[in-house]
Amino acid sequence: MSDEFDCDIVANNKADFVIANNIKSGYFPILLRGATTWVGNMNFDVDECCQKNNMFRVKLKKAQEKLKETSSVFEKMAIMQSFIEDAMPWCQAKDEYERTECIFDGEPFSYMVDHKYCICAERAAMAQYLCQQSGIKSYLVSSIVEISSGEKGEHAYVVFEKDNHMYVYDPANTMKDKAPRIMDTNMDKIIFGDFIASVNENSDVYDRKKKNCVGFNCRADDGKKFIYRSYCGTMENIVSPSRLKAVRLAKAKENLNAQQKNKSVKGL
């Protein structure tokens, strides 16, 4: 699954839902705003950016030093968010055409930073890079995100693991006080594995009407509800963490009953 990208794509539902691991440097998949288009050769090379942009290198080094000073995962996220807000300002609407052009020209990450062309994809990739630097198991994810207000579109974010539980860290959408937006996915590590399998299950199905919709809901502390899902399918028949958990529990119960039945037969 990772032939097209210089990273480990663990789940790929044909651009509807993509989950990638090991984003450190080199090439990573990037999704253009407003279009289900993946560009496989976007150069996200942190070392190159540090060589060309002295200010970025200094800011990154300070952030990395601060990350080493705390063991709290959530404090680390706050440090990451502060660095991202400072060093990777959001691409303005007037520059979106230039951003798209430079992506197709294969411009490196340093170019994106210098020209202030970063959006959710670069921010999520940097967050995932810093998570790995900090020893936090994480994944770069892109899917459709729908906010309770009705706003919907392709979006990149990070899913990370803490105490065997999976959370969303969305570095492109801070809380009102600029605190990092961190939300519970309602998935433990095992169910998240089932979720990845569900994304991959119909990755070769090109007809959206025949695909299963997969996704999960998160409610932020400020009351906003985010729905992270594939573009296909409907919310009524979505493959959700709760359904995956129910299936796993049913299989566990079935296995237990089979074991007890085998013991009873052997005891006769």
Side-chain angles (χ1 to χ4, degrees), residues 15 30 32 57 66 132 139-140 142 152-153 155 176 187 191 209 212-213 230 253:
I30 185 169
L32 298 181
R57 181 175 69 250
K66 289 181 179 178
Q132 291 187 164
Y139 300 84
L140 177 65
S142 181
K152 180 171 66 174
H155 191 51
K176 287 185 178 180
M187 286 185 277
I191 297 300
K209 294 180 180 179
N212 291 324
C213 183
S230 59
K253 186 177 181 180

Side-chain angles (χ1 to χ4, degrees), residues 70-83:
T70 177
S71 59
S72 168
V73 172
F74 298 122
E75 287 182 16
K76 287 180 183 291
M77 298 294 176
I79 294 170
M80 293 178 198
Q81 190 67 53
S82 178
F83 165 74

Side-chain angles (χ1 to χ4, degrees), residues 88-103:
M88 300 171 64
W90 194 262
C91 179
Q92 300 298 309
K94 63 181 179 64
D95 297 323
E96 286 185 10
Y97 176 79
E98 285 75 10
R99 168 189 162 77
T100 301
E101 287 294 301
C102 81
I103 290 174

Side-chain angles (χ1 to χ4, degrees), residues 44-60:
F44 185 83
D45 195 316
V46 177
D47 292 335
E48 182 181 10
C49 191
C50 287
Q51 291 168 7
K52 293 184 176 181
N53 188 320
N54 182 63
M55 186 62 69
F56 181 87
R57 181 175 69 250
V58 171
K59 290 178 179 179
L60 178 60

